[in-house]
Amino acid sequence: MNGTPLKPGATIGFVGLGNMGLPMVRRLLAAGYRIRAYDRARASVDALAGHLAASDLDGGVAADAAATARGADAVVLMLPDSDVVEAVMHDDGLLAAAAPGTVVVDMGSSRPLSTRALAGRAAARGVGLVDAPVSGGVKGAVDGTLTVMAGGEPGDFDRVRPILETVGRRVLHLGPAGAGHALKALNNLMSATHLLLTSEAMLAGQRFGLDPAVMLEAVNGSSGRSGSTERKWPDYVLPGTFDSGFGLRLMLKDMRIAVDLAEATGVEPRLGRAATDLWADAADHLPPAADHTEIVTRLRQLLEDHRD
């Protein structure tokens, strides 16, 4: 497939204007890409409408997901899971609407084997598929500092690389289709386990009488530091805002994908499975919209239950 890079001025369809998708679209618009956007949630479309109206580069708000692909050079999907991606590609007709040579970029978290199968079906129609999930959270999406983990054919990756570099600071091509989604799930399993263990240690320190802010300062200059001690606890847990923008149940979904992947490769994920069970318990006891940093709230509940 033609690997000519899609530079600003190209038309990009974009499906999914949530916490991550909306700031990504704003960055693409600011860089000079023509955007044709769609989201089933009207409020998300309204949040973007002002930016589209203010730009003479926009392709408008699309009537449905398939309409984003008509005449587009590439289509970016920022959707929650494989089932939704499959529905948009097939039930909503996006794949049928995409012309040969179009590259679809799945930037959400999906099942790697499902991604491989979907890439095969897309290739049969002359459409490329690049899985390019990201790490860095909402702040990274706003600032354009995301890490992008991409899988797909080299020519397809080269074609969409300028788009990915507009939203990400570190863009890595990891291998064939599914490679990006595999690493994203494994990364989130590590991240979630870090946060769980960090929270247990921080709560133990607080109950011993240590100042949590001083604990974090010490740990962040020591070998126990992680993204949880450097960002999640100081930015979202200590202030009590719990507003990282990434849901607890989305984290749990990625953890389960990673555990399944490990088992499929013959690795016995004993710690990963135990951490996943603890996160599943939190999902059973916290509100549906709970942020993933609220895992701390569940640990505190368990402490109170034990005290009673």
Side-chain angles (χ1 to χ4, degrees), residues 231-246:
R231 292 183 298 279
K232 295 181 183 181
W233 258 80
D235 293 350
Y236 309 116
V237 178
L238 281 187
T241 55
F242 301 111
D243 57 353
S244 77
F246 187 63

Side-chain angles (χ1 to χ4, degrees), residues 16 129 140 179 287:
L129 179 69

Side-chain angles (χ1 to χ4, degrees), residues 193-216:
T193 305
H194 295 163
L195 179 56
L196 180 63
L197 186 55
T198 295
S199 299
E200 290 178 345
M202 291 294 296
L203 292 176
Q206 287 179 272
R207 287 167 72 87
F208 186 75
L210 300 178
D211 183 318
V214 177
M215 287 178 68
L216 290 172

Side-chain angles (χ1 to χ4, degrees), residues 15-204:
V15 182
L17 303 174
N19 290 333
M20 296 291 288
L22 190 58
M24 291 167 72
V25 167
R26 288 170 175 161
R27 291 197 65 83
L28 291 169
L29 278 172
Y33 286 97
R34 295 176 57 86
I35 299 296
R36 186 179 301 125
Y38 173 75
D39 194 290
R40 288 184 177 180
R42 185 67 216 178
S44 297
V45 175
D46 291 342
L48 182 63
H51 291 267
L52 291 173
S55 172
D56 59 3
L57 297 168
D58 70 279
V61 174
D64 52 36
T68 66
R70 297 188 183 103
D73 300 295
V75 180
V76 175
L77 308 179
M78 183 48 86
L79 300 169
D81 56 45
S82 288
D83 292 339
V84 178
V85 170
E86 292 272 357
V88 165
M89 292 284 280
H90 294 286
D91 299 345
D92 294 351
L94 190 151
L95 184 56
T102 306
V103 181
V104 176
V105 187
D106 180 1
M107 300 194 75
S109 298
S110 296
R111 297 185 298 269
L113 294 179
S114 296
T115 300
R116 284 187 177 180
L118 185 58
R121 294 197 295 274
R125 302 183 67 95
V127 174
L129 179 69
V130 171
D131 52 304
V134 300
S135 182
V138 175
K139 186 177 188 304
V142 172
D143 296 341
T145 58
L146 296 168
T147 293
V148 183
M149 311 168 212
E153 292 297 319
D156 295 333
F157 171 74
D158 289 342
R159 190 154 168 75
V160 300
R161 183 166 192 153
I163 298 170
L164 303 179
E165 290 178 339
T166 301
V167 299
R169 176 179 294 168
R170 184 181 292 110
V171 178
L172 302 171
H173 184 222
L174 305 172
H181 282 148
L183 184 55
K184 169 64 175 179
L186 294 168
N187 174 80
N188 277 11
L189 177 62
M190 289 188 282
S191 176
T193 305
H194 295 163
L195 179 56
L196 180 63
L197 186 55
T198 295
S199 299
E200 290 178 345
M202 291 294 296
L203 292 176

